Each structure stands twice: as C-alpha cells, then as structure tokens.
Amino acid sequence: MKKTTTRLADGRELIYYDLRDDAVRDERDRRPLDPVATASEIRHDRLLGDSVAIASHRQARTYHPPADECPLCPSRDGRLSEIPAPDYDVAVFENRFPSLAGDSGRCEVVCFTPDHDASFADLSEEQAALVLEAWTDRTAELSQLPGVEQVFCFENRGAEIGVTLGHPHGQIYAYPFITPRTERMLTSLAAHREATGGNLFDDTVADELADGRRIVLEGEHWVVFVPYAAHWPYEVHLYPKRRVPDLLALDEAARTEFPQIYLEVLRRFDRIFVGRDGGKEAGPDGGKGEGTSRGPRAAGAARTPYIAAWHQAPLRAGRREDFALHLELFTIRRTSGKLKFLAGSESGMNVFINDVPPEAAAERLREVASE
C-alpha cells in the first residue's frame, strides 16, 4: 500500500491509498472553492445524558446529484470533483459538510472505488483489503487528534437508508465523546465481569458457536452470526476469533481472511430477497422474493440497503482493552418491498420489535451462499 496526502483547494485534507507503490498523486484541485464554513455544535441532553450534534450548514449539502455530476467520481473529461486524480484505488477526504468539525470532532468520506455503479460487494479481495488498511490508518491518525474519544468507521448504502450520494463510499466520524451505544456496551461488559469473572464478548461468541443455530459463516479467524436478540430483520455481527480492542490490533492472519468473509456476507445480503429458481420465493416471514440470483448480484436486481458499523474501543479515559472489535451489519428491509420503520416503540421508547426470528434470518443467510 502507498499513502499520499495532499490538500484540496479549500484546505481540506485528501489521502490516496494505492495498491501500487509507484502510483503518483500530484494532481492539483483546480476548483475555485470558498473556505469551508461550518457551524457544528455539540449540545448535551440533560434528561437522557447523551449528546446531540447541531449542524445547520448540512442543509446545503449535495443531494442526489445525477451520475455525471457525482462529486466522488474521479476528475475526468474536464469535470472536476472532490478527487482531482483521473483515477484512484481508495480515497479519503475531509467532508465538506461535516456533522462534526473543529473542537466538535471530525468527519471524513471514504471512497471505496472510482466505479460509480459498483458496490462494496463488487470489490475484489485485494481492493477490500485496501479499504481495511485505509480504515485502520485513519483510525490511527484520528485517534491522535486532541479531544477525540472514539473513532467510528461505517457505511450507509441505499436511498432507503438516507444516502444522498449513490457512489460507493463510507464515512468516518471522530467523536469528542464516547457514544451512548458504546457506553451501554461498556456498562454491560463491566457488570458481566463482576458477576462471572469472564469477558462478555468472549462469552457471547462462545455461546453462539456452541448453539450453532444463528451462525451464518465461520472462517479460521472470523465468525459471523445473527445475534440472539437481533434488533433488525436481518442483522449479523462479525467478530475476529482472537479478541482485539480495535482495527489497529488485528493480526495479519485476520486481515488476510477478512475480505473473503466480509465480501461473502455482503453478497449474501444482496440475495436475501431474491429467489434462486427464477421465480418468486417466500422468505422466512412469508414475504416474496424479487427474482433470481446466481452470481454476486442478479442483473437489474435491487441492492439490499444496509448499514455496516465498526465498533472499536474508545480512547483515553474510556479505554477498555477488554472491549472487542466487531462489525455490525444490518438492513432495514424486512421483506421484499417492505421496510422496517422505527415507529412508536422503537423511536419513542427505544424498544425494538423484530418481525423476523433471528434463527430464521440466519437460516436464510446460509441458504443464499455464493457459488
């Protein structure tokens, strides 16, 4: 991997990650950009004890541009984008419309590929490994910024999720606080240690392996399962078998196997609602499928919307070496043409109601294995 750091016309940082060591990245951003003006502010909710980012400048962010005006594509044929090079492998840059900025943290965009019509599931193992290297490197760099308490790498895919740019990309947030979800995990981790003397993450993975019904995929170094109390219709967690607190601590064996495992899981997600016999297929909850798929993705088939979220140990005062790095992947689609909306119970009381039994979801994800 070769890393090249440069600046965009408005001063934001841009980093290229290349597979080739002889790649030259000397293109200059020729756009007449005004300086970035942000109004990000962190406010504390006294009632709930959590924090809210107020970012009014994001109202002006780019919203569903046509493909020939995509700001994440390379700069070609006289059209200038956020990436000055005419081609790239992986590119990371500071978000022009960040939710967090300055003393309130930092937001970055991770472009997985120059191919506008691709998806992460379409990447080769070599390309996916490069994205993993970029996530790891950015975690290391952002962890050194003053005031950053947690680094969160994630991908939103699909308009149903709220994605406003169709180009395959993810984001990285560097929070100035520990997120509420991580705080809850740390509380449960400590309580489990006090009650049993064991590690909650280790015991959870061991219990899932022993039960077996919710295991979707198992490699030598990674295991993928639907959690016992899954919140979402189709939700899987990916854990390295050797517990580590963050991406930086993964060993080479786990790094090598990760692209194989993750790409397979993503491709299965694109098959969940697709029949395998040329017709419609009922899902485990009785919903009908969307056609047929025998390759990574059926021609013309709709991609499954999802959120992929890396959970890493927080930094500094909240650091716990017994935290377990893992990736949570879930879709808001519960069956063909139907979404799982966060209505009264979920949004009002944070009590999820899942229409698809985790065991049935795991069975379906095993059924749609790639050939």
Side-chain angles (χ1 to χ4, degrees):
M1 180 194 78
K2 181 179 180 181
K3 175 184 175 182
T4 305
T5 302
T6 184
R7 294 280 174 179
L8 295 171
D10 54 11
R12 287 176 296 133
E13 192 172 26
L14 166 66
I15 308 104
Y16 293 101
Y17 295 89
D18 286 292
L19 292 168
R20 293 172 44 195
D21 290 336
D22 60 350
V24 177
R25 299 300 182 188
D26 56 4
E27 294 86 359
R28 182 175 60 86
D29 184 5
R30 296 182 285 112
R31 297 172 297 168
L33 296 180
D34 294 327
V36 174
T38 62
S40 181
E41 176 188 359
I42 302 296
R43 295 188 181 182
H44 183 70
D45 186 320
R46 292 185 295 178
L47 187 62
L48 297 179
D50 58 11
S51 298
V52 177
I54 309 296
S56 59
H57 61 277
R58 284 176 54 79
Q59 289 281 40
R61 68 186 184 274
T62 308
Y63 187 80
H64 291 299
D68 60 359
E69 296 179 16
C70 174
L72 307 186
C73 288
S75 293
R76 295 175 181 165
D77 304 321
R79 188 182 66 81
L80 305 179
S81 74
E82 289 278 62
I83 304 170
D87 200 5
Y88 63 85
D89 291 333
V90 174
V92 180
F93 60 87
E94 289 184 73
N95 198 325
R96 186 167 173 78
F97 303 97
S99 302
L100 309 167
D103 293 339
S104 298
R106 173 160 159 151
C107 294
E108 298 183 342
V109 177
V110 183
C111 298
F112 302 140
T113 169
D115 186 350
H116 181 84
D117 297 317
S119 178
F120 200 118
D122 299 321
L123 300 182
S124 68
E125 290 182 13
E126 185 180 38
Q127 290 172 310
L130 184 62
V131 176
L132 177 61
E133 287 300 313
W135 283 330
T136 304
D137 183 71
R138 296 316 302 153
T139 295
E141 293 289 332
L142 294 172
S143 296
Q144 300 304 311
L145 295 180
V148 171
E149 293 293 340
Q150 187 172 350
V151 177
F152 176 45
C153 307
F154 65 101
E155 180 192 0
N156 298 328
R157 187 178 80 165
E160 300 93 330
I161 296 293
V163 174
T164 58
L165 297 176
H167 194 104
H169 72 287
Q171 300 179 66
I172 304 176
Y173 280 14
Y175 293 105
F177 51 80
I178 300 174
T179 64
R181 188 174 180 87
T182 302
E183 289 275 19
R184 293 182 68 177
M185 289 185 188
L186 292 174
T187 298
S188 297
L189 180 64
H192 186 83
R193 174 74 72 184
E194 178 69 22
T196 70
N199 181 280
L200 176 60
F201 295 105
D202 292 349
D203 290 349
T204 297
V205 172
D207 289 346
E208 291 294 350
L209 286 168
D211 184 287
R213 290 176 298 164
R214 291 175 295 277
I215 298 295
V216 173
L217 189 62
E218 183 181 359
E220 184 178 355
H221 303 285
W222 292 84
V223 61
V224 184
F225 58 87
V226 178
Y228 173 75
H231 288 56
W232 299 94
Y234 290 91
E235 172 184 347
V236 296
H237 294 187
L238 288 73
Y239 277 80
K241 289 185 175 180
R242 184 180 73 85
R243 173 169 47 85
V244 295
D246 52 33
L247 288 166
L248 281 70
L250 282 175
D251 60 26
E252 284 306 310
R255 291 183 182 280
T256 299
E257 188 179 72
F258 174 76
Q260 306 163 24
I261 297 291
Y262 189 45
L263 289 172
E264 172 64 18
V265 172
L266 291 180
R267 290 163 185 168
R268 292 190 191 190
F269 258 60
D270 276 343
R271 291 186 174 93
I272 297 172
F273 307 104
V274 179
R276 296 164 296 165
D277 57 0
K280 301 294 183 180
E281 180 173 337
D285 61 349
K288 294 296 182 180
E290 293 179 332
T292 183
S293 173
R294 299 308 289 169
R297 183 169 56 88
R303 293 183 170 113
T304 298
Y306 66 70
I307 292 175
W310 278 108
H311 291 265
Q312 305 192 77
L315 310 168
R316 301 181 178 87
R319 183 71 174 182
R320 290 286 298 271
E321 293 299 328
D322 54 352
F323 190 90
L325 168 76
H326 62 285
L327 188 150
E328 297 184 6
L329 172 71
F330 62 88
T331 179
I332 63 171
R333 183 175 290 170
R334 56 188 175 88
T335 189
S336 178
K338 297 178 182 179
L339 301 180
K340 166 64 178 177
F341 291 103
L342 300 189
S345 184
E346 291 88 354
S347 295
M349 283 294 166
N350 200 28
V351 177
F352 276 68
I353 301 169
N354 190 352
D355 300 329
V356 181
E359 293 75 17
E363 181 181 2
R364 179 60 180 153
L365 284 164
R366 289 192 295 267
E367 289 176 349
V368 293
S370 300
E371 292 185 339

